Amino acid sequence: MDDPYARLDYRKLIPWPKRLEREWSFLRPLLEAAPSRRILDLGCGTGEHARFLADRGFDVVGVDASPGMIQAAIESGEQAGVRYVLGDLADVRSLVEGTFGAAICLGNTLPHLHDDEAVSQFFKGLRGLLAPPGPFILQLLNYERIAATGQRSLPLTFIPDAAGEVIFLRLLEPQPDGTVVFVPATLSYRPEEDPPLQVLGARTVRHRGWKRPELEELLEQAGFRHRLLHGTVADVPYVTLESTDLVIVSR
Ligand SMILES: C[S@@+](CC[C@H](N)C(=O)[O-])C[C@H]1O[C@@H](n2cnc3c(N)ncnc32)[C@H](O)[C@@H]1O
């Protein structure tokens, strides 16, 4: 596949320790109560969740379709309890063996899958891998809100570096066909220089702006009968036109 993340150092662009700790208060009770400590991290990127969970005694298999991301994950260090698999989520059923107690798919990974057919195959494959009542925790942006408000960007992230800061900018261009052109870009910010800002890297990625009813239907068809909705990776309710994220915990 095209590897839109190969040019961005995802490890540095996300304030990982803060994010992982914030998400952990939500994930912990779900994962600790799972029927087994084998966890699937779907769209694992550079493996931060996988390593964080392995540190807490889970046995994690991370799946990602980007050779660049998997390579970066491996280079972050071998660790007991973590394994990475290169492959497409639509093929998850044939990529891993055995059953799992829970699965996470975080960081707006699902919108990279555009077709109903691919997502249906992903959800059905996953259903067969999860030991009941193991949860599938899915997080994506709330595209219903983005479409309704015409939101054009995600909040900026500022990352200190040796001579100033790197700014992580993410532009959104909702399209009439329900896709969203997503432009992640990094800018070098040197307040003392002229010009103070320079583009380090930028890419265009097309997302499908999956909406809650579409996903609930595909989950139901795949056999996920129980679903709880949250407005982000925290114990807050989902409000269609207000929540930043759509988080679905399905069983
Ligand atoms: C924005 S990153 C999210 C990474 C991480 N899960 C997080 O929470 O930050 C999205 C990831 O999904 C992966 N991805 C995109 N399409 C995929 C597919 N069809 N199958 C597997 N992984 C995919 C990308 O390579 C990328 O690593």
Side-chain angles (χ1 to χ4, degrees):
M1 70 171 230
D2 178 33
D3 195 348
Y5 291 95
R7 283 197 231 157
L8 297 173
D9 189 346
Y10 200 63
R11 281 172 299 184
K12 292 201 190 126
L13 295 178
I14 307 289
W16 281 107
K18 211 164 111 197
R19 178 179 159 191
L20 290 167
E21 281 306 330
R22 176 170 41 80
E23 292 176 344
W24 184 229
S25 26
F26 179 75
L27 297 176
R28 183 179 190 160
L30 292 167
L31 300 185
E32 295 284 359
S36 96
R37 294 185 79 80
R38 280 197 89 207
I39 309 285
L40 261 177
D41 182 2
L42 301 160
C44 64
T46 46
E48 274 77 10
H49 286 99
R51 292 189 295 278
F52 179 88
L53 293 175
D55 281 342
R56 282 150 188 81
F58 293 93
D59 192 6
V60 188
V61 178
V63 178
D64 202 286
S66 157
M69 288 295 224
I70 292 282
Q71 187 57 31
I74 292 167
E75 284 167 9
S76 297
E78 297 266 317
Q79 189 173 334
V82 182
R83 194 164 65 83
Y84 301 108
V85 176
L86 179 67
D88 196 302
L89 294 182
D91 304 325
V92 67
R93 190 74 173 92
S94 58
L95 292 173
V96 296
E97 285 182 359
T99 58
F100 292 81
I104 58 173
C105 182
L106 306 177
N108 210 38
T109 292
L110 191 78
H112 293 84
L113 280 73
H114 292 194
D115 307 339
D116 287 37
E117 189 46 44
V119 171
S120 170
Q121 199 182 313
F122 166 33
F123 289 171
K124 285 178 180 163
L126 177 62
R127 180 63 276 173
L129 291 166
L130 281 174
F136 168 36
I137 304 157
L138 171 67
Q139 178 265 333
L140 63 156
L141 290 173
N142 178 5
Y143 287 99
E144 278 180 274
R145 174 176 178 262
I146 289 169
T149 61
Q151 186 183 338
R152 296 286 309 278
S153 66
L154 297 183
L156 294 175
T157 307
F158 295 84
I159 306 120
D161 72 354
E165 283 175 315
V166 172
I167 299 177
F168 189 28
L169 167 74
R170 288 165 289 182
L171 299 179
L172 304 168
E173 295 289 346
Q175 305 295 306
D177 67 357
T179 61
V180 175
V181 174
F182 178 64
V183 180
T186 46
L187 308 173
S188 158
Y189 180 42
R190 306 275 181 265
E192 310 305 328
E193 291 178 11
D194 185 22
L197 280 174
Q198 290 197 35
V199 176
L200 295 174
R203 270 303 307 243
T204 299
V205 189
R206 196 173 281 264
H207 283 167
R208 169 145 174 197
W210 289 101
K211 303 204 166 86
R212 181 193 56 80
E214 299 170 320
L215 292 178
E216 288 217 278
E217 193 179 330
L218 288 169
L219 285 163
E220 179 73 27
Q221 285 168 6
F224 288 100
R225 300 277 181 256
H226 303 280
R227 295 175 298 274
L228 286 175
L229 303 182
H230 303 270
T232 188
V233 186
D235 203 3
V236 295
Y238 174 74
V239 182
T240 310
L241 295 183
E242 288 177 20
S243 302
T244 55
D245 296 351
L246 166 63
V247 174
I248 310 180
V249 180
S250 312
R251 297 176 194 270

